[in-house]
């Protein structure tokens, strides 16, 4: 893993790696189940509907897309985290100046 200079990105990654984010959420669990179901549907579709000579290619493209999407969502979450901390600091500074 490359060394990062951004403290907030490092903090986010450390909390994520150590599973310290509270992600206990009924809706998230439901979406996780739906994601698994969709993965099974896509695999079945590829197996049944895509010609054998292009199945591996279709699976590889889908895998690349999924990896890129999860990388994108990870970065988006880092930015939400960073902006949330920045907003929190601004609120504290505003409260201290009152």
């Amino acid at each position: 893993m490359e060394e990062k200079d951004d403290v907030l990105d490092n903090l986010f990654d450390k909390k994520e790696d150590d599973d310290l984010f509270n992600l206990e959420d009924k809706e998230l669990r439901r979406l996780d189940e739906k994601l698994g179901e969709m993965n099974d549907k896509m695999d079945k579709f590829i197996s049944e509907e895509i010609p054998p000579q292009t199945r591996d290619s279709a699976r590889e493209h889908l895998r690349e897309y999924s990896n890129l999407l999860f990388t994108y969502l990870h970065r988006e979450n880092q930015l939400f985290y960073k902006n949330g901390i920045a907003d929190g600091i601004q609120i504290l500074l505003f409260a201290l100046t009152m």
Side-chain angles (χ1 to χ4, degrees), residues 37-50 55 59 62:
E37 292 170 8
M38 183 52 70
N39 186 56
D40 293 343
K41 285 181 186 178
M42 292 293 292
D43 191 53
K44 182 179 178 186
F45 177 83
I46 290 171
S47 295
E48 295 175 356
E49 303 295 330
I50 304 293
R55 279 185 194 147
R59 282 190 174 104
L62 187 58

Side-chain angles (χ1 to χ4, degrees), residues 56-66:
D56 288 341
S57 179
R59 282 190 174 104
E60 183 59 30
H61 289 309
L62 187 58
R63 191 172 12 265
E64 287 177 23
Y65 172 80
S66 294

Side-chain angles (χ1 to χ4, degrees), residues 56-92:
D56 288 341
S57 179
R59 282 190 174 104
E60 183 59 30
H61 289 309
L62 187 58
R63 191 172 12 265
E64 287 177 23
Y65 172 80
S66 294
N67 289 339
L68 183 57
L69 179 60
F70 284 116
T71 299
Y72 174 91
L73 292 172
H74 179 265
R75 182 59 185 155
E76 185 177 62
N77 287 336
Q78 280 180 314
L79 293 172
F80 283 137
Y81 181 78
K82 189 183 294 190
N83 284 299
I85 288 176
D87 289 347
I89 290 170
Q90 285 181 333
I91 290 169
L92 287 174

